[in-house]
Structures are given as structure tokens and as C-alpha cells.
Coordinates of all heavy atoms in Angstrom, one line a residue:
R1 N 0.8 -1.2 0.0 CA 0.0 0.0 0.0 C 0.9 1.2 0.0 O 1.9 1.3 0.7 CB -0.9 0.0 1.2 CG -1.8 1.1 1.2 CD -2.8 1.0 2.3 NE -3.7 2.1 2.2 CZ -4.7 2.3 3.0 NH1 -5.0 1.5 3.9 NH2 -5.5 3.4 2.8
Y2 N 0.5 2.2 -0.8 CA 1.3 3.5 -0.9 C 0.6 4.6 -0.1 O -0.6 4.8 -0.3 CB 1.4 3.8 -2.4 CG 2.3 5.1 -2.6 CD1 3.6 5.0 -2.5 CD2 1.7 6.3 -2.8 CE1 4.4 6.1 -2.7 CE2 2.4 7.4 -3.0 CZ 3.8 7.3 -2.9 OH 4.6 8.4 -3.1
E3 N 1.3 5.3 0.7 CA 0.8 6.5 1.4 C 1.1 7.7 0.6 O 2.3 8.1 0.5 CB 1.4 6.5 2.8 CG 1.0 5.4 3.7 CD -0.4 5.5 4.1 OE1 -1.0 6.6 4.2 OE2 -1.0 4.4 4.4
C4 N 0.1 8.3 0.0 CA 0.3 9.6 -0.8 C 0.6 10.7 0.2 O -0.2 11.0 1.1 CB -0.9 9.8 -1.6 SG -0.8 11.3 -2.6
S5 N 1.6 11.5 -0.1 CA 1.9 12.6 0.7 C 1.2 13.9 0.3 O 1.3 14.9 1.0 CB 3.4 12.8 0.8 OG 3.9 13.2 -0.5
N6 N 0.6 13.9 -0.9 CA -0.1 15.1 -1.4 C -1.4 14.7 -2.0 O -1.6 14.7 -3.2 CB 0.8 15.8 -2.5 CG 0.2 17.2 -2.8 OD1 -0.6 17.7 -2.1 ND2 0.7 17.7 -4.0
L7 N -2.4 14.4 -1.2 CA -3.7 14.0 -1.6 C -4.5 15.3 -1.9 O -4.5 16.2 -1.1 CB -4.4 13.2 -0.5 CG -5.5 12.3 -0.9 CD1 -5.1 11.3 -1.9 CD2 -6.1 11.6 0.4
K8 N -5.1 15.3 -3.1 CA -5.7 16.6 -3.5 C -7.2 16.3 -3.9 O -7.4 15.3 -4.7 CB -5.0 17.2 -4.7 CG -5.5 18.5 -5.1 CD -4.6 19.1 -6.2 CE -5.1 20.4 -6.7 NZ -4.3 21.0 -7.8
Q9 N -8.1 17.1 -3.4 CA -9.5 16.9 -3.7 C -9.8 17.7 -5.0 O -9.5 18.9 -5.0 CB -10.4 17.4 -2.6 CG -11.9 17.0 -2.7 CD -12.6 17.3 -1.5 OE1 -12.2 18.2 -0.7 NE2 -13.8 16.7 -1.3
I10 N -10.4 17.1 -6.0 CA -10.7 17.7 -7.3 C -12.2 17.7 -7.5 O -12.9 16.7 -7.3 CB -10.0 16.9 -8.4 CG1 -8.5 16.8 -8.2 CG2 -10.3 17.6 -9.8 CD1 -7.7 18.1 -8.4
G11 N -12.7 18.8 -8.0 CA -14.1 19.0 -8.4 C -15.0 19.0 -7.2 O -14.6 19.2 -6.0
G12 N -16.3 18.9 -7.4 CA -17.3 18.8 -6.4 C -18.0 20.2 -6.2 O -17.5 21.2 -6.6
Q13 N -19.1 20.1 -5.6 CA -19.9 21.3 -5.3 C -19.9 21.6 -3.8 O -20.0 20.6 -3.0 CB -21.3 21.2 -5.7 CG -21.5 20.8 -7.2 CD -20.9 22.0 -8.1 OE1 -21.1 23.1 -7.8 NE2 -20.3 21.6 -9.2
S14 N -19.8 22.8 -3.3 CA -19.8 23.1 -1.9 C -21.2 22.8 -1.4 O -22.2 23.4 -1.8 CB -19.5 24.6 -1.7 OG -18.1 24.8 -2.1
N15 N -21.3 21.9 -0.5 CA -22.6 21.5 0.0 C -23.0 22.3 1.3 O -24.2 22.5 1.5 CB -22.6 20.0 0.3 CG -22.6 19.2 -1.0 OD1 -22.9 19.7 -2.0 ND2 -22.1 18.0 -0.9
Y16 N -22.1 22.5 2.2 CA -22.4 23.3 3.4 C -21.2 23.9 4.0 O -20.1 23.6 3.6 CB -23.1 22.3 4.4 CG -22.2 21.2 4.8 CD1 -21.3 21.3 5.9 CD2 -22.3 20.0 4.2 CE1 -20.5 20.3 6.3 CE2 -21.4 18.9 4.6 CZ -20.6 19.1 5.6 OH -19.8 18.0 6.0
S17 N -21.4 24.8 4.9 CA -20.2 25.4 5.5 C -20.3 25.3 7.0 O -21.4 25.5 7.6 CB -20.1 26.9 5.0 OG -20.2 27.8 6.0
V18 N -19.2 25.0 7.7 CA -19.1 24.9 9.1 C -17.9 25.7 9.6 O -16.8 25.4 9.2 CB -19.0 23.4 9.6 CG1 -18.8 23.4 11.1 CG2 -20.2 22.6 9.2
N19 N -18.2 26.7 10.4 CA -17.1 27.6 10.8 C -16.2 28.1 9.7 O -15.0 28.0 9.7 CB -16.2 26.9 11.9 CG -17.0 26.6 13.1 OD1 -17.9 27.2 13.5 ND2 -16.6 25.5 13.8
N20 N -16.9 28.6 8.6 CA -16.2 29.1 7.4 C -15.4 28.1 6.6 O -14.6 28.5 5.8 CB -15.3 30.3 7.8 CG -16.1 31.5 8.3 OD1 -17.2 31.7 7.8 ND2 -15.5 32.2 9.2
F21 N -15.6 26.8 6.9 CA -15.0 25.8 6.1 C -16.0 25.2 5.2 O -17.0 24.7 5.6 CB -14.5 24.7 7.1 CG -13.9 23.5 6.3 CD1 -12.7 23.5 5.7 CD2 -14.7 22.3 6.2 CE1 -12.2 22.4 5.0 CE2 -14.2 21.2 5.5 CZ -13.0 21.3 4.9
M22 N -15.7 25.3 3.9 CA -16.7 24.8 2.9 C -16.3 23.3 2.6 O -15.2 23.0 2.3 CB -16.6 25.6 1.6 CG -17.0 27.0 1.7 SD -18.7 27.2 2.3 CE -19.6 26.6 0.9
S23 N -17.3 22.5 2.7 CA -17.1 21.1 2.5 C -17.5 20.8 1.0 O -18.6 21.1 0.6 CB -18.0 20.3 3.4 OG -18.0 18.9 3.1
K24 N -16.6 20.1 0.3 CA -16.9 19.6 -1.0 C -17.1 18.1 -1.0 O -16.1 17.4 -0.8 CB -15.7 20.0 -2.0 CG -15.6 21.5 -2.2 CD -14.8 21.9 -3.4 CE -13.4 21.4 -3.5 NZ -12.6 22.0 -4.5
L25 N -18.3 17.7 -1.2 CA -18.6 16.3 -1.1 C -19.0 15.7 -2.4 O -18.3 14.9 -3.0 CB -19.6 16.0 0.0 CG -19.3 16.4 1.4 CD1 -20.5 16.2 2.3 CD2 -18.1 15.6 1.9
E26 N -20.2 16.1 -2.8 CA -20.8 15.5 -4.0 C -20.0 15.8 -5.3 O -19.8 17.0 -5.5 CB -22.3 15.9 -4.1 CG -23.1 15.2 -5.2 CD -23.2 13.7 -4.9 OE1 -23.4 13.4 -3.7 OE2 -23.2 12.9 -5.8
G27 N -19.6 14.8 -6.0 CA -19.0 15.1 -7.3 C -17.5 15.2 -7.2 O -16.8 15.5 -8.2
S28 N -16.9 15.2 -6.0 CA -15.4 15.4 -5.9 C -14.7 14.0 -5.8 O -15.3 13.1 -5.3 CB -15.0 16.3 -4.8 OG -15.3 15.7 -3.5
W29 N -13.5 14.0 -6.2 CA -12.7 12.8 -6.1 C -11.3 13.2 -5.6 O -10.9 14.3 -5.8 CB -12.6 12.0 -7.4 CG -13.9 11.5 -7.8 CD1 -14.8 12.1 -8.7 CD2 -14.5 10.3 -7.4 NE1 -15.9 11.3 -8.8 CE2 -15.8 10.2 -8.0 CE3 -14.1 9.3 -6.5 CZ2 -16.6 9.1 -7.8 CZ3 -15.0 8.2 -6.3 CH2 -16.2 8.1 -7.0
Y30 N -10.6 12.3 -5.0 CA -9.2 12.5 -4.6 C -8.2 11.9 -5.5 O -8.5 10.8 -6.1 CB -9.0 11.9 -3.2 CG -9.7 12.7 -2.1 CD1 -10.9 12.3 -1.6 CD2 -9.1 13.8 -1.5 CE1 -11.6 12.9 -0.6 CE2 -9.8 14.4 -0.5 CZ -11.0 14.0 0.0 OH -11.6 14.7 0.9
I31 N -7.2 12.7 -5.8 CA -6.1 12.1 -6.6 C -4.8 12.3 -5.8 O -4.7 13.1 -4.9 CB -5.9 12.9 -8.0 CG1 -5.6 14.3 -7.8 CG2 -7.2 12.7 -8.8 CD1 -5.1 15.0 -9.0
C32 N -3.8 11.5 -6.1 CA -2.5 11.6 -5.5 C -1.7 12.5 -6.4 O -1.4 12.1 -7.5 CB -1.8 10.2 -5.4 SG -0.3 10.3 -4.5
D33 N -1.4 13.7 -6.0 CA -0.8 14.7 -6.8 C 0.7 14.8 -6.5 O 1.2 15.8 -6.0 CB -1.4 16.1 -6.6 CG -1.1 17.1 -7.7 OD1 -0.6 16.7 -8.8 OD2 -1.2 18.3 -7.4
E34 N 1.4 13.7 -6.8 CA 2.8 13.6 -6.5 C 3.5 13.4 -7.9 O 2.9 12.9 -8.8 CB 3.2 12.4 -5.6 CG 2.7 12.6 -4.2 CD 3.1 11.4 -3.4 OE1 3.7 10.4 -3.9 OE2 2.9 11.5 -2.1
E35 N 4.8 13.8 -7.9 CA 5.5 13.7 -9.2 C 5.5 12.3 -9.8 O 5.3 12.1 -10.9 CB 6.9 14.2 -9.0 CG 7.7 14.3 -10.3 CD 9.1 14.9 -10.2 OE1 9.3 15.7 -9.2 OE2 9.9 14.6 -11.0
K36 N 5.7 11.3 -8.9 CA 5.9 9.9 -9.4 C 4.5 9.2 -9.7 O 4.5 8.2 -10.4 CB 6.8 9.1 -8.6 CG 6.3 8.8 -7.2 CD 7.3 8.0 -6.4 CE 6.9 7.7 -5.0 NZ 7.9 6.9 -4.3
L37 N 3.5 9.7 -9.0 CA 2.2 9.0 -9.2 C 1.1 9.9 -9.7 O 0.1 9.3 -10.2 CB 1.7 8.5 -7.8 CG 2.4 7.2 -7.3 CD1 1.8 6.8 -6.0 CD2 2.2 6.1 -8.3
G38 N 1.2 11.1 -9.7 CA 0.1 12.0 -10.1 C -0.1 12.1 -11.6 O 0.8 11.6 -12.3
P39 N -1.1 12.7 -12.0 CA -1.4 12.8 -13.5 C -0.3 13.7 -14.1 O 0.1 14.7 -13.5 CB -2.7 13.5 -13.6 CG -3.1 14.0 -12.2 CD -2.2 13.3 -11.2
R40 N 0.3 13.2 -15.2 CA 1.3 14.0 -15.9 C 0.6 15.0 -16.8 O -0.2 14.7 -17.6 CB 2.1 13.1 -16.8 CG 2.9 12.2 -15.9 CD 4.1 11.6 -16.7 NE 4.9 10.9 -15.7 CZ 5.2 9.6 -15.8 NH1 4.8 8.9 -16.8 NH2 6.0 9.0 -14.9
K41 N 0.9 16.3 -16.6 CA 0.2 17.4 -17.3 C 0.3 17.2 -18.8 O 1.4 16.9 -19.3 CB 0.7 18.7 -16.8 CG 0.4 19.0 -15.4 CD 0.5 20.4 -15.0 CE 0.2 20.5 -13.5 NZ -0.4 21.6 -13.1
L42 N -0.8 17.3 -19.5 CA -0.9 17.2 -20.9 C -0.6 15.8 -21.4 O -0.4 15.6 -22.6 CB 0.0 18.2 -21.6 CG -0.2 19.7 -21.3 CD1 0.8 20.6 -21.9 CD2 -1.7 20.1 -21.7
S43 N -0.5 14.8 -20.5 CA -0.3 13.5 -21.0 C -1.0 12.5 -20.1 O -0.5 11.5 -19.6 CB 1.2 13.2 -20.9 OG 1.5 11.9 -21.3
C44 N -2.3 12.7 -19.9 CA -3.1 11.8 -19.0 C -4.5 11.6 -19.6 O -5.0 12.5 -20.3 CB -3.2 12.3 -17.6 SG -3.8 14.0 -17.4
N45 N -5.1 10.5 -19.3 CA -6.4 10.1 -19.7 C -7.3 9.9 -18.5 O -6.8 9.2 -17.6 CB -6.4 8.9 -20.6 CG -5.8 9.2 -21.9 OD1 -6.1 10.1 -22.7 ND2 -4.7 8.4 -22.3
V46 N -8.5 10.4 -18.5 CA -9.4 10.1 -17.4 C -10.7 9.6 -18.0 O -11.3 10.1 -18.9 CB -9.7 11.5 -16.7 CG1 -10.8 11.3 -15.6 CG2 -8.5 12.1 -16.0
L47 N -11.1 8.5 -17.4 CA -12.4 7.9 -17.7 C -13.3 8.1 -16.6 O -13.1 7.6 -15.5 CB -12.3 6.4 -18.0 CG -11.3 6.0 -19.1 CD1 -11.2 4.5 -19.2 CD2 -11.8 6.6 -20.5
S48 N -14.4 8.9 -16.8 CA -15.3 9.3 -15.7 C -16.7 8.7 -15.9 O -17.3 8.9 -16.9 CB -15.4 10.8 -15.7 OG -16.2 11.3 -14.7
F49 N -17.1 7.9 -14.9 CA -18.4 7.2 -15.0 C -19.3 7.6 -14.0 O -18.9 7.8 -12.8 CB -18.2 5.6 -14.9 CG -17.4 5.0 -16.0 CD1 -16.0 4.9 -15.9 CD2 -18.0 4.6 -17.1 CE1 -15.2 4.4 -16.9 CE2 -17.2 4.1 -18.2 CZ -15.9 3.9 -18.0
G50 N -20.6 7.8 -14.3 CA -21.6 8.2 -13.4 C -21.6 9.6 -13.0 O -21.7 10.0 -11.8
I51 N -21.5 10.5 -14.0 CA -21.4 11.9 -13.7 C -22.7 12.7 -13.4 O -22.7 13.7 -12.8 CB -20.7 12.7 -14.9 CG1 -21.5 12.4 -16.2 CG2 -19.3 12.2 -15.0 CD1 -21.1 13.3 -17.3
M52 N -23.8 12.1 -13.8 CA -25.1 12.8 -13.7 C -25.0 14.2 -14.3 O -24.8 14.3 -15.5 CB -25.6 12.8 -12.2 CG -27.1 13.1 -12.1 SD -28.1 12.0 -13.0 CE -29.6 12.1 -12.1
D53 N -25.2 15.2 -13.5 CA -25.1 16.6 -14.0 C -23.9 17.4 -13.4 O -23.9 18.6 -13.5 CB -26.4 17.4 -13.7 CG -27.5 16.9 -14.6 OD1 -27.3 16.6 -15.8 OD2 -28.7 16.8 -14.1
D54 N -23.0 16.7 -12.8 CA -21.9 17.4 -12.2 C -20.6 17.1 -12.9 O -20.0 16.0 -12.9 CB -21.7 16.9 -10.7 CG -20.6 17.6 -10.0 OD1 -19.9 18.5 -10.6 OD2 -20.5 17.4 -8.7
W55 N -20.2 18.1 -13.7 CA -19.0 18.0 -14.6 C -17.8 18.6 -13.9 O -16.7 18.7 -14.5 CB -19.3 18.8 -15.9 CG -20.4 18.2 -16.6 CD1 -21.7 18.6 -16.5 CD2 -20.4 17.2 -17.7 NE1 -22.5 17.9 -17.4 CE2 -21.7 17.0 -18.1 CE3 -19.3 16.5 -18.2 CZ2 -22.0 16.1 -19.1 CZ3 -19.7 15.6 -19.2 CH2 -21.0 15.4 -19.6
S56 N -17.9 19.0 -12.6 CA -16.8 19.7 -12.0 C -15.5 18.9 -11.9 O -14.4 19.5 -12.2 CB -17.2 20.1 -10.6 OG -17.5 19.0 -9.8
F57 N -15.5 17.6 -11.6 CA -14.2 16.8 -11.6 C -13.7 16.8 -13.0 O -12.5 17.0 -13.2 CB -14.5 15.4 -11.0 CG -13.3 14.5 -11.1 CD1 -12.3 14.6 -10.2 CD2 -13.2 13.6 -12.2 CE1 -11.2 13.8 -10.3 CE2 -12.1 12.8 -12.3 CZ -11.1 12.9 -11.3
D58 N -14.5 16.5 -13.9 CA -14.1 16.3 -15.3 C -13.4 17.6 -15.9 O -12.4 17.6 -16.5 CB -15.3 15.9 -16.2 CG -16.0 14.7 -15.6 OD1 -16.6 14.9 -14.5 OD2 -16.1 13.7 -16.2
K59 N -14.1 18.7 -15.6 CA -13.6 20.0 -16.1 C -12.3 20.3 -15.4 O -11.3 20.8 -16.0 CB -14.6 21.1 -15.8 CG -15.8 21.0 -16.8 CD -16.7 22.2 -16.5 CE -17.9 22.1 -17.4 NZ -18.9 23.1 -17.1
S60 N -12.2 20.1 -14.1 CA -10.9 20.4 -13.4 C -9.8 19.6 -13.9 O -8.6 20.1 -14.0 CB -11.1 20.2 -11.9 OG -12.0 21.1 -11.3
M61 N -10.0 18.3 -14.1 CA -8.9 17.4 -14.6 C -8.4 17.9 -16.0 O -7.3 17.8 -16.3 CB -9.3 16.0 -14.7 CG -9.5 15.3 -13.3 SD -8.0 15.4 -12.3 CE -6.9 14.3 -13.2
N62 N -9.4 18.4 -16.8 CA -9.0 18.9 -18.1 C -8.3 20.2 -18.1 O -7.3 20.4 -18.7 CB -10.3 19.0 -19.0 CG -9.9 19.5 -20.4 OD1 -10.2 20.7 -20.7 ND2 -9.4 18.7 -21.2
I63 N -8.9 21.2 -17.3 CA -8.3 22.5 -17.2 C -7.0 22.5 -16.4 O -6.0 23.1 -16.8 CB -9.3 23.5 -16.6 CG1 -10.5 23.7 -17.6 CG2 -8.7 24.8 -16.3 CD1 -11.7 24.4 -17.0
D64 N -7.0 21.9 -15.2 CA -5.8 22.0 -14.3 C -4.7 21.1 -14.8 O -3.5 21.5 -14.5 CB -6.2 21.6 -12.9 CG -7.3 22.6 -12.3 OD1 -7.4 23.7 -12.8 OD2 -7.9 22.2 -11.3
Y65 N -5.0 20.0 -15.4 CA -3.9 19.0 -15.7 C -3.8 18.8 -17.2 O -2.9 18.1 -17.7 CB -4.2 17.7 -15.0 CG -4.0 17.8 -13.5 CD1 -5.0 18.0 -12.7 CD2 -2.7 17.7 -13.0 CE1 -4.9 18.1 -11.3 CE2 -2.5 17.8 -11.6 CZ -3.6 18.0 -10.8 OH -3.4 18.1 -9.4
G66 N -4.7 19.3 -18.0 CA -4.7 19.1 -19.4 C -5.0 17.6 -19.8 O -4.6 17.2 -20.9
C67 N -5.7 16.9 -19.0 CA -6.0 15.5 -19.3 C -7.1 15.4 -20.3 O -8.0 16.3 -20.5 CB -6.6 14.8 -18.0 SG -5.3 14.6 -16.7
N68 N -7.0 14.3 -21.1 CA -8.0 14.0 -22.1 C -9.1 13.2 -21.3 O -8.8 12.2 -20.7 CB -7.4 13.1 -23.1 CG -8.3 12.7 -24.2 OD1 -9.3 13.5 -24.5 ND2 -8.1 11.7 -24.9
V69 N -10.3 13.8 -21.2 CA -11.3 13.3 -20.3 C -12.5 12.8 -21.1 O -13.0 13.4 -22.0 CB -11.9 14.4 -19.3 CG1 -13.0 13.9 -18.5 CG2 -10.7 15.0 -18.5
H70 N -12.9 11.5 -20.8 CA -14.1 10.9 -21.4 C -15.1 10.7 -20.3 O -14.8 9.9 -19.3 CB -13.7 9.6 -22.1 CG -12.7 9.8 -23.2 ND1 -13.1 10.1 -24.5 CD2 -11.4 9.7 -23.2 CE1 -12.1 10.2 -25.3 NE2 -11.0 10.0 -24.5
S71 N -16.3 11.3 -20.4 CA -17.3 11.2 -19.4 C -18.5 10.4 -19.9 O -18.9 10.5 -21.0 CB -17.8 12.6 -19.0 OG -16.7 13.4 -18.7
F72 N -19.1 9.6 -19.0 CA -20.2 8.7 -19.4 C -21.0 8.4 -18.2 O -20.6 8.2 -17.1 CB -19.6 7.4 -19.9 CG -20.7 6.4 -20.3 CD1 -21.4 6.7 -21.5 CD2 -20.9 5.3 -19.6 CE1 -22.4 5.8 -21.9 CE2 -21.9 4.4 -20.0 CZ -22.6 4.6 -21.1
D73 N -22.4 8.5 -18.4 CA -23.3 8.0 -17.4 C -24.4 7.2 -18.1 O -25.2 7.8 -18.8 CB -23.9 9.2 -16.6 CG -24.7 8.8 -15.4 OD1 -25.3 7.7 -15.4 OD2 -24.7 9.5 -14.4
P74 N -24.4 5.9 -17.9 CA -25.3 5.1 -18.7 C -26.8 5.3 -18.3 O -27.6 4.9 -19.1 CB -24.9 3.6 -18.3 CG -24.2 3.8 -17.0 CD -23.6 5.1 -17.0
F75 N -27.1 5.9 -17.2 CA -28.4 6.1 -16.8 C -28.9 7.5 -17.0 O -29.9 7.9 -16.4 CB -28.6 5.7 -15.3 CG -28.2 4.3 -15.1 CD1 -27.0 4.0 -14.5 CD2 -29.0 3.2 -15.6 CE1 -26.6 2.7 -14.3 CE2 -28.6 1.9 -15.4 CZ -27.4 1.6 -14.7
H76 N -28.1 8.4 -17.7 CA -28.5 9.8 -17.8 C -28.4 10.2 -19.3 O -27.4 9.9 -19.9 CB -27.6 10.6 -17.0 CG -27.9 12.1 -16.9 ND1 -29.1 12.5 -16.3 CD2 -27.3 13.1 -17.4 CE1 -29.1 13.8 -16.4 NE2 -28.1 14.2 -17.1
E77 N -29.4 10.9 -19.8 CA -29.3 11.4 -21.2 C -28.3 12.5 -21.3 O -28.0 13.2 -20.3 CB -30.7 11.9 -21.6 CG -31.7 10.8 -21.7 CD -33.1 11.3 -22.2 OE1 -33.1 12.3 -22.9 OE2 -34.1 10.7 -21.8
G78 N -27.8 12.7 -22.4 CA -26.9 13.8 -22.6 C -25.4 13.5 -22.5 O -24.6 14.3 -22.2
N79 N -25.1 12.2 -22.6 CA -23.7 11.8 -22.5 C -22.9 12.4 -23.6 O -23.3 12.6 -24.7 CB -23.5 10.2 -22.6 CG -24.2 9.6 -21.5 OD1 -23.9 9.9 -20.3 ND2 -25.1 8.6 -21.7
I80 N -21.6 12.7 -23.3 CA -20.7 13.2 -24.4 C -19.5 12.4 -24.4 O -19.2 11.7 -23.5 CB -20.3 14.7 -24.2 CG1 -19.6 14.9 -22.9 CG2 -21.6 15.6 -24.2 CD1 -18.9 16.3 -22.8

């Protein structure tokens, strides 16, 4: 098992705030953003399943890392 030293939360919508801390839960995912394990900028592919109407993770991976992102939700119309 590998212990990531730079775990980063990507995407998601702010659901609530407690003591000025915004929690991002729905639609966010964690990635290990380390040189040896993290996504290589402009050289990564992301397959995203079950997006419903939240494109935040997908957009962030594309904009922040330049990843080629393919999004799909088999139970929702409007797949791209």
C-alpha cells in the first residue's frame, strides 16, 4: 500500500459550511498529486463514469492538468 503525501480533492460542489470551512462532497474525487504517481500534465487520460449533471471533476482534470477526459453516465441522457 502506498501512502500519498499530497492527496488533492478535485471537483465537487460546496454543500455546506461549518465555521467558514466549505465542504466539497458530491462530485469530488481525490487524486494523488505527486511527481511519481500524479497525473502527468498534458499526458493523461481520465475515464469518468456516473457523472449525472456534475461536470466539476471532469472539467478540473481537463483545465488544471490538461487531461483527455471521457465522461459517461449510462443512466442519464446527454452523454458526451
Side-chain angles (χ1 to χ4, degrees):
R1 183 173 184 179
Y2 183 79
E3 294 289 332
C4 180
S5 65
N6 189 18
L7 201 58
K8 185 174 180 182
Q9 191 174 20
I10 304 289
Q13 303 297 322
S14 296
N15 292 337
Y16 61 89
S17 117
V18 175
N19 296 331
N20 294 324
F21 173 76
M22 293 303 290
S23 172
K24 293 197 302 188
L25 297 175
E26 189 66 35
S28 69
W29 294 96
Y30 289 93
I31 65 166
C32 184
D33 195 20
E34 291 182 353
E35 186 176 333
K36 64 181 179 178
L37 284 180
R40 294 198 172 121
K41 294 195 182 215
L42 302 175
S43 181
C44 53
N45 293 303
V46 174
L47 301 176
S48 179
F49 294 92
I51 56 167
M52 193 59 154
D53 287 322
D54 186 353
W55 299 88
S56 59
F57 173 79
D58 309 64
K59 287 180 181 178
S60 291
M61 290 303 294
N62 179 256
I63 292 168
D64 298 344
Y65 292 94
C67 293
N68 185 22
V69 179
H70 298 275
S71 307
F72 179 73
D73 191 326
F75 302 107
H76 187 67
E77 293 182 28
N79 294 308
I80 63 167

